Amino acid sequence: MALALLISSIVIIICVIFNRISNKIGIPVLIAFIGLGMLFGSDGLLKIPFENYDFAEKICSAALIFIMFYGGFGTNWSEARPVAAKSIMLSTLGVAATAGLTGLFCFYILGFPFLESMLVGSVISSTDAASVFSILRSKKLGLKENTASLLEIESGSNDPCSYMLTAIILSIMKGNANGGEIVYLIFAQFAYGLIFGFAIAFAARFFLRRFKFSTEGFDAAFVLAIAILAYALPSIINGNGYLSTYIVGIILGNSDIKNKKSMVHFFDGLTGLMQMLIFFLLGLLSLPSSLPKVFPQALAISLFLMLIARPLVVFGILTPMKCSVKQQLLVSWSGLRGAASIVFAIMAVVTEDSLTHDIFHIVFCIVLISITVQGSLIPFMAKVFGMTDDSSDVLKTFNDYVEELDIQFIKLTIKGDHPWKDKRIRELSIPWDLLFVLIIRGDKSIIPNGKTKIKDGDIVVVSAQEYHGTDDIQFIEYKITHSSNWIGKNISDFAAVSKNLVILIKRGSGVVIPRGPTPIMENDILVLHAPEEIKIT
C-alpha cells in the first residue's frame, strides 16, 4: 500500500512538472503523460504489469465525466454563441460523416471487416479539446473569426456523439440490435441526454441561488455531485450521460451563482488531475512493443483523417454557412484526436471479444501521431493561413477570463473621516491606472462615472493591474500574545521598530487594513511584508 502511494505521488509530481514545461513550449502535455505511463509499464523501465482493460475502462470513463462537465462549465457562452450553430453541426453531423468516411477507408483500402471498420471510424470520430487548448492557451494565440470558440464548442461537445456511434456499432456486432432498436437507441441517447441535462441544470441552479452552504467549499462538492448525477441518471435508461453532463456544465458555468470563479479553478484542477490519470493509465496499459506492428495501419488512417476526411467534412459543413476558406483550413488542421478516442477504444475491446485487429493500439498510435504532428504545428499553420489575431485573446473563451487578464479587484469601505467621503469621483486625486468598477450602497449596485458622489457607508470596488513580482514580496505572520509588550500601542510604533510594513491585521474572524494610529490588540495576527528575516521583541 505504502509503495503504491509513493509511486502515485511521484507520478503526479512528475506530471505537474511536465505540465509546466508543456505550457512553455506549446506541446500538448498528453504526450508527456502517456510517455510517462509507457515508461512505468510492462514494456518500460519499471516493468509494472497492467493489462486490465476492464478496470481501465471504468476508471477512464468516470474521469471523462469531469472532463466533459468542465468542458461546458469553463466555456464562456457569450463568446461562443455566434459560432454555436457551426460548432454543433460539426459535433453531430461532422462526427457521423467522419466516422463513415474513415470506416469506408478502413474497409475498402485497409481490408478491415465492415463492422470493425465502422467501429474504428466511430471511436476516432471526435476531436480533443484539451489538446487544442493546451496549445492555444499556453501561447495566448488569438484567432480571427471566432475560430477559437468554434473549436472549443466543437471539441467539447462531439464526444457524446462519438460515444453514441461506438455504442450502436458494438450493439450491432454483438447481435443485440435490429433496425427498430437502433432507431430507439439513437432517440434515447439524444432525447434523454438533453432532457436530463436541462432539467438537472435548472434544478441545480435554482438550489445554488437560494441555498446557503454552512461550510466554504461545500458548494463545489455539491456541483461535483451534480456532474456525476447528470451522467448517471440518463445512462440508467440508455440516455447519453456525457451529453447530459456537458449541458449541465454549460448552463451552470454561464449562470449567475455564488463562488463561480472559485468553482472554475476547482474544476480546472480536478480536470487536470483526471487528464493525468487517464493519459498515464492509457500509457501504462499500452505495449510499446506492439506499436510497430500497427504503425502502418495507424499512419494510413491518420493521414486519411488529416488530409482527406476532416477537410471534406469541414468544407462540406462550413462552406454553406459562409465561413472563409482560411478558417476552414485551420479548423480542418485542428481536428486533434485525444483521450476520449482511446477510452472508447478500450470500451470496444472490453465489449467485443471477436475483434480481428488490435484496435486499442491502432487508436493509441493514431492519437500519438495526431498530437505530435498536428498539435505541434497548430500555431505555425494559423500563421500560414493568416488566421492569427493579435487584437483577439483566446482566453476570452474561458469563464476564468478575468483571472487571466492580470487584473485584481480591491474593496474599500468608506466610513468615518475617509478622504473620499462626500466627493465625486472626478474630484479625487487617484492614479490613472486605477479604475472605479462598482459602488455598493445598501442593497443597490451602482456603476460609477465621474459624476458619482461617494457617500458614507459605501463599499467601493476598484481595479488595478496585478503585480507578478512575487519573489520580491515575502509575507510573515506575527502573533500578539497576552504577554506581548505591543498590546495597546499603535501600528506606527511597531513599524518603526520592525522596519517592515504591516499589510493587514487578522482580528478574530475579520480583517483590518491598518493605518498609523490603528491600535494593536491581544490575539491580533499582524501580516508583515518582510523581505528579510526579522526579530521582534
Side-chain angles (χ1 to χ4, degrees):
M1 179 67 176
L3 180 60
L5 291 175
L6 175 62
I7 294 175
S8 299
S9 63
I10 292 174
V11 168
I12 292 175
I13 291 172
I14 296 175
C15 286
V16 171
I17 295 173
F18 279 160
N19 187 55
R20 178 73 175 177
I21 297 172
S22 170
N23 286 337
K24 286 185 175 295
I25 63 178
I27 296 176
V29 73
L30 166 62
I31 298 175
F33 293 167
I34 287 182
L36 189 63
M38 296 169 71
L39 186 67
F40 276 70
S42 55
D43 272 3
L45 295 179
L46 297 186
K47 306 293 184 182
I48 297 177
F50 183 74
E51 298 179 0
N52 193 332
Y53 282 85
D54 188 58
F55 175 79
E57 191 266 338
K58 288 181 172 62
I59 296 297
C60 292
S61 295
L64 271 182
I65 296 172
F66 305 111
I67 294 174
M68 287 296 302
F69 175 80
Y70 183 63
F73 195 82
T75 298
N76 188 332
W77 184 249
S78 62
E79 292 290 325
R81 184 184 291 110
V83 294
K86 301 172 186 176
S87 299
I88 292 172
M89 289 294 291
L90 287 173
S91 65
T92 51
L93 181 60
V95 167
T98 300
L101 289 172
T102 306
L104 291 175
F105 175 79
C106 291
F107 178 67
Y108 285 108
I109 305 301
L110 300 182
F112 285 25
F114 180 75
L115 288 178
E116 204 164 312
S117 298
M118 292 301 163
L119 180 61
V120 172
S122 300
V123 163
I124 61 173
S125 57
S126 65
T127 57
D128 186 64
S131 299
V132 173
F133 277 86
S134 68
I135 298 171
L136 297 183
R137 194 165 188 169
S138 65
K139 295 294 186 180
K140 293 188 177 180
L141 186 64
L143 300 175
K144 297 177 181 178
E145 303 176 30
N146 259 348
T147 304
S149 294
L150 189 154
L151 290 172
E152 181 189 12
I153 295 294
E154 182 213 359
S155 57
S157 61
N158 59 15
D159 288 340
C161 191
S162 178
Y163 170 79
M164 180 194 70
L165 293 174
T166 302
I168 290 173
I169 297 298
L170 287 172
S171 296
I172 296 174
M173 293 179 74
K174 293 185 72 68
N176 296 332
N178 54 38
E181 291 172 338
I182 292 174
V183 172
Y184 173 75
L185 182 58
I186 296 173
F187 166 80
Q189 286 277 303
F190 279 111
Y192 297 150
L194 290 170
I195 292 171
F196 277 99
F198 282 105
I200 293 173
F202 290 133
R205 184 175 67 179
F206 179 86
F207 185 86
L208 286 168
R209 285 177 172 176
R210 286 161 178 78
F211 185 82
K212 185 176 182 180
F213 293 89
S214 58
T215 304
E216 186 176 354
F218 271 32
D219 48 358
F222 173 79
V223 174
L224 181 69
I226 289 297
I228 298 172
L229 183 69
Y231 173 83
L233 283 181
S235 296
I236 292 174
I237 54 175
N238 290 325
N240 196 317
Y242 293 121
L243 176 60
S244 173
T245 302
Y246 182 73
I247 290 172
V248 171
I250 282 187
I251 293 176
L252 291 184
N254 290 274
S255 297
D256 183 17
I257 56 179
K258 297 178 182 178
N259 299 325
K260 186 172 69 175
K261 182 178 176 181
S262 63
M263 289 185 196
V264 169
H265 297 313
F266 169 78
F267 281 104
D268 189 28
L270 178 63
T271 300
L273 184 61
M274 292 298 103
Q275 288 172 347
M276 290 180 194
L277 173 64
I278 288 180
F279 299 154
F280 176 79
L281 200 59
L282 296 177
L284 192 66
L285 188 64
S286 68
L287 297 174
S289 59
S290 298
L291 296 182
K293 302 173 186 176
V294 301
F295 182 77
Q297 297 169 322
L299 179 62
I301 297 172
S302 297
L303 292 175
F304 178 78
L305 273 171
M306 282 190 282
L307 304 178
I308 299 177
R310 173 74 175 176
L312 280 176
V313 170
V314 169
F315 274 79
I317 291 175
L318 296 186
T319 298
M321 304 183 84
K322 299 181 179 179
C323 293
S324 69
V325 173
K326 291 182 178 181
Q327 183 184 41
Q328 294 182 66
L329 287 171
L330 182 59
V331 172
S332 298
W333 185 260
S334 302
L336 306 189
R337 312 298 139 172
S341 295
I342 306 178
V343 174
F344 297 155
I346 295 176
M347 184 177 75
V349 172
V350 171
T351 306
E352 181 56 51
D353 54 7
S354 62
L355 298 174
T356 60
H357 291 81
D358 188 357
I359 287 183
F360 170 74
H361 282 101
I362 289 175
V363 173
F364 185 88
C365 199
I366 290 171
V367 170
L368 289 181
I369 294 171
S370 177
I371 297 297
T372 304
V373 178
Q374 287 179 278
S376 301
L377 291 176
I378 284 179
F380 173 76
M381 299 303 286
K383 293 178 182 178
V384 169
F385 297 143
M387 287 297 294
T388 57
D389 185 1
D390 294 334
S391 64
S392 175
D393 192 346
V394 68
L395 302 176
K396 289 183 179 181
T397 64
F398 297 95
N399 266 331
D400 55 347
Y401 175 57
V402 172
E403 183 73 8
E404 299 282 355
L405 268 183
D406 301 335
I407 293 294
Q408 291 294 309
F409 295 104
I410 303 170
K411 181 185 76 172
L412 302 171
T413 302
I414 309 301
K415 60 182 178 181
D417 57 349
H418 196 286
W420 290 1
K421 190 175 73 172
D422 296 326
K423 290 186 178 180
R424 300 185 188 277
I425 291 177
R426 66 186 178 190
E427 298 172 351
L428 303 178
S429 297
I430 58 174
W432 283 103
D433 51 0
L434 190 72
L435 177 67
F436 283 76
V437 177
L438 179 69
I439 294 178
I440 301 174
R441 184 172 295 160
D443 296 331
K444 296 181 179 179
S445 296
I446 301 171
I447 305 299
N449 55 41
K451 299 178 181 179
T452 304
K453 179 180 285 190
I454 300 174
K455 298 182 179 181
D456 187 43
D458 282 353
I459 296 175
V460 178
V461 180
V462 298
S463 68
Q465 187 172 7
E466 182 181 6
Y467 175 67
H468 286 288
T470 52
D471 291 339
D472 303 324
I473 300 178
Q474 301 293 329
F475 295 119
I476 65 169
E477 292 186 350
Y478 182 77
K479 177 72 177 289
I480 304 298
T481 62
H482 70 280
S483 60
S484 175
N485 296 327
W486 293 105
I487 296 176
K489 295 184 179 181
N490 295 336
I491 285 294
S492 58
D493 300 326
F494 182 91
V497 173
S498 68
K499 306 298 183 183
N500 288 281
L501 177 66
V502 180
I503 303 296
L504 59 86
I505 302 173
K506 296 179 181 179
R507 182 169 291 166
S509 59
V511 172
V512 177
I513 304 298
R515 293 187 294 170
T518 302
I520 299 173
M521 303 174 63
E522 183 179 347
N523 294 323
D524 278 354
I525 298 176
L526 309 185
V527 179
L528 314 177
H529 172 211
E532 299 178 358
E533 185 177 354
I534 61 171
K535 293 182 179 179
I536 305 172
T537 59

